[in-house]
Amino acid sequence: MKIIVNLDVMLAKRKMSSGALAEQIGITQANLSILKTGKAKAIRFSTLEKICEALQCQPGDILKYEK
Amino acid sequence: MWNARKSVILSIVLLYTCAAVLLASCFFAPFVIQRLTRTDGSYTFGLLIFYICVGIAFIAITLLHRLLHNIRCEQVFIPQNSRLLRYISWCCFVVCILTFAGGFAFYSLFLVCAAAGFMGMILRVVKNILSTATALKTENELTI
C-alpha cells in the first residue's frame, strides 16, 4: 500500500511553479521537494489546508491511495 | 559557564585518562597477577584473561571516542551512534563471559563479570532508547 502525492499534476493543472507554491504556503522548497518526491512520512493538516487553498483543490486531488 | 560542549570535552579527557591507565596497567599486570597466583598455570591463565579484556577495553574506548566525536559534531540522533552503542555493549558482554570463565580461577573476577554484564545491559537499553529517538527525529524531519 502506498499514498501517492499528485502535487506535480495539480501544479501543472494550475500552471504554478514549485517555488511559487512554496512561497505562498510558507514552506521551504526543500520541504516541498520532499513532499513531491514521496519521501515525506507525514503531512500536517495545516500544510494540506494551505496547499488546497493555494491550488484551489480538495485533499483527494493531491493524495491518492494505491494498493 | 558550564555547558554541553564542555561536558563532552570533559568526557573525552576522562576517556583519554582511562586509556592511559589501561595502558599503564598492561605493564604492571604481570607483577600484580604473579603476586595473586600460586601456580604457573593460573598465572598464565590470569594474564591471558587480563590481556584479552584489555584488548576489548581498547576497542570499547575507540568506539566511545567515535561516539563522543559524533556528539561533539552535534550528530546525536543518527543510526551510527546506535550501532556504536550496540558494539560497546557487546564488548561488555564478551568481557562478562571471559571474566565468568576466569572467575573459577580468581573468585574476585565474578565481581568484574557482574559489573560488565550489568553495564552491557544498561548500554543495550540506552541503545534502544537512542534508536527510538532517531526514528522519531527522522519522522519529525520528514513531516511537512
Side-chain angles (χ1 to χ4, degrees), chain A residues 29-66:
Chain A
Q29 284 213 45
N31 277 345
L32 192 66
S33 172
I34 289 170
L35 200 59
K36 274 167 62 183
T37 51
K39 286 178 188 165
K41 294 254 183 193
I43 181 165
R44 290 189 190 92
F45 278 150
S46 57
T47 311
L48 192 60
E49 192 183 319
K50 282 176 194 167
I51 292 171
C52 288
E53 199 180 321
L55 296 173
Q56 294 291 305
C57 64
Q58 291 298 313
D61 298 327
I62 301 162
L63 304 173
K64 204 174 109 187
Y65 170 72
E66 260 184 18

Side-chain angles (χ1 to χ4, degrees), chain B residues 76-77 82 85 121-137:
Chain B
V76 184
F77 300 106
S82 303
L85 277 175
M121 220 161 56
I122 290 171
L123 282 171
R124 276 204 75 79
V125 173
V126 174
K127 174 238 151 202
N128 288 338
I129 293 169
L130 192 71
S131 298
T132 311
T134 307
L136 281 172
K137 190 177 178 278

Side-chain angles (χ1 to χ4, degrees), chain A residues 6 8 12 20-21 25 27-28 33-34 38 46 62 65:
Chain A
N6 282 325
D8 272 336
L21 179 69
I25 64 175
I27 65 168
T28 62
S33 172
I34 289 170
S46 57
I62 301 162
Y65 170 72

Side-chain angles (χ1 to χ4, degrees), chain B residues 65-141:
Chain B
H65 186 264
R66 274 161 69 178
L67 183 67
L68 284 168
H69 174 77
N70 285 345
I71 294 168
R72 209 175 166 187
C73 297
E74 293 182 354
Q75 289 181 316
V76 184
F77 300 106
I78 54 170
Q80 195 201 357
N81 287 352
S82 303
R83 224 173 16 247
L84 286 170
L85 277 175
R86 196 175 77 227
Y87 295 151
I88 298 165
S89 77
W90 275 113
C91 286
C92 290
F93 288 131
V94 171
V95 168
C96 176
I97 292 164
L98 284 170
T99 48
F100 180 76
F104 293 102
F106 311 97
Y107 293 126
S108 53
L109 278 182
F110 281 127
L111 283 172
V112 181
C113 168
F118 192 63
M119 182 59 77
M121 220 161 56
I122 290 171
L123 282 171
R124 276 204 75 79
V125 173
V126 174
K127 174 238 151 202
N128 288 338
I129 293 169
L130 192 71
S131 298
T132 311
T134 307
L136 281 172
K137 190 177 178 278
T138 309
E139 196 167 309
N140 189 44
E141 277 173 356

